[in-house]
Amino acid sequence: AAPFGLHAELQKMSAQEIMDAKALAASKSHSEAERRRRERINNHLAKLRSLLPSTTKTDKASLLAEVIQHVKELKRQTSQIAETSPVPTESDELSVESAKPNGQKPVIRASICCEDRPDLIPDLIAALKSLKLRTLKAEIATLGGRVRNVLFVTGSDDDSGAGGGECCVGSIREALRVVMEKCCVGDESGSAKRQR
């Protein structure tokens, strides 16, 4: 209940005066909310300024334009690093490319990214042996249950046929696809086991 004096004052006020008082209170409340919103925006803009390596612009539009350019550059650098780095991604990937060094047997770069599993490496070795390929170099990286294997292979020394030739790229791709699909099947049963 309102104090006696305030209650008496409210009774003396006309309906218009009450509406005006409410409008004034709402306006003050709105102004305060707007002031807090502007303050939050300015704080975020100040944080953005501090994150940029070097910014000379102080107006909001120029700052946002610089931030956009900086984010684009970071994305470009990230994709460049991802192309050269064997770090596994969250999606299954398979690529097979052929390169012909000067007068030597072709070298094939095969990359497979999938869920890690204990029999993955033996399956890869079996797939390459079945195609009579010799591994020159292997890069293996794991992260969070994912694995990326980058293999550089060529035809075996006793294979004078198409072991490392262009027609082998399709065979390697198919063999690795089978290994990768086995990963996916293995992953489904593995995830069911983890959920129990």
Side-chain angles (χ1 to χ4, degrees):
F4 179 72
L6 180 59
H7 185 64
E9 276 299 310
L10 286 174
Q11 285 179 342
K12 289 181 189 175
M13 291 176 72
S14 69
Q16 183 60 43
E17 289 173 328
I18 292 173
M19 285 176 41
D20 289 346
K22 285 183 180 181
L24 180 63
S27 174
K28 284 182 181 179
S29 174
H30 176 72
S31 295
E32 181 62 25
E34 183 62 22
R35 186 191 62 75
R36 284 193 308 267
R37 186 187 72 79
R38 282 193 311 270
E39 194 173 278
R40 280 195 324 269
I41 289 172
N42 289 333
N43 287 338
H44 290 310
L45 288 171
K47 285 179 188 175
L48 278 176
R49 267 188 206 93
S50 71
L51 291 175
L52 288 176
S54 63
T55 183
T56 57
K57 310 285 183 176
T58 56
D59 66 293
K60 294 173 186 175
S62 298
L63 174 65
L64 292 175
E66 281 189 41
V67 168
I68 290 168
Q69 286 306 113
H70 190 65
V71 168
K72 284 181 179 178
E73 176 61 19
L74 290 175
K75 285 177 84 173
R76 186 192 65 74
Q77 289 175 5
T78 302
S79 65
Q80 196 174 32
I81 290 169
E83 288 173 9
T84 59
S85 173
V87 175
T89 60
E90 291 186 18
S91 60
D92 290 350
E93 298 171 5
L94 170 64
S95 69
V96 181
E97 304 160 354
S98 178
K100 291 187 178 181
N102 300 335
Q104 300 174 5
K105 282 187 175 186
V107 174
I108 296 172
R109 180 187 183 274
S111 174
I112 181 174
C113 181
C114 60
E115 288 293 320
D116 198 4
R117 59 185 167 85
D119 57 344
L120 178 62
I121 300 298
D123 284 351
L124 287 172
I125 292 169
L128 296 175
K129 280 188 177 180
S130 72
L131 296 171
K132 297 182 179 175
L133 295 170
R134 184 169 54 97
T135 304
L136 302 172
K137 179 181 173 183
E139 298 171 356
I140 301 171
T142 61
L143 180 67
R146 303 280 299 167
V147 64
R148 180 180 298 274
N149 293 284
V150 180
L151 307 164
F152 296 88
V153 297
T154 189
S156 62
D157 292 332
D158 61 347
D159 183 23
S160 57
E166 288 298 321
C167 66
C168 190
V169 169
S171 301
I172 294 172
R173 185 175 287 116
E174 180 59 24
L176 293 181
R177 186 186 61 75
V178 169
V179 171
M180 190 166 72
E181 284 176 356
K182 188 175 177 185
C183 280
C184 295
V185 171
D187 177 47
E188 289 169 9
S189 64
S191 63
K193 288 177 188 170
R194 277 181 289 221
Q195 289 175 354
R196 284 187 214 150

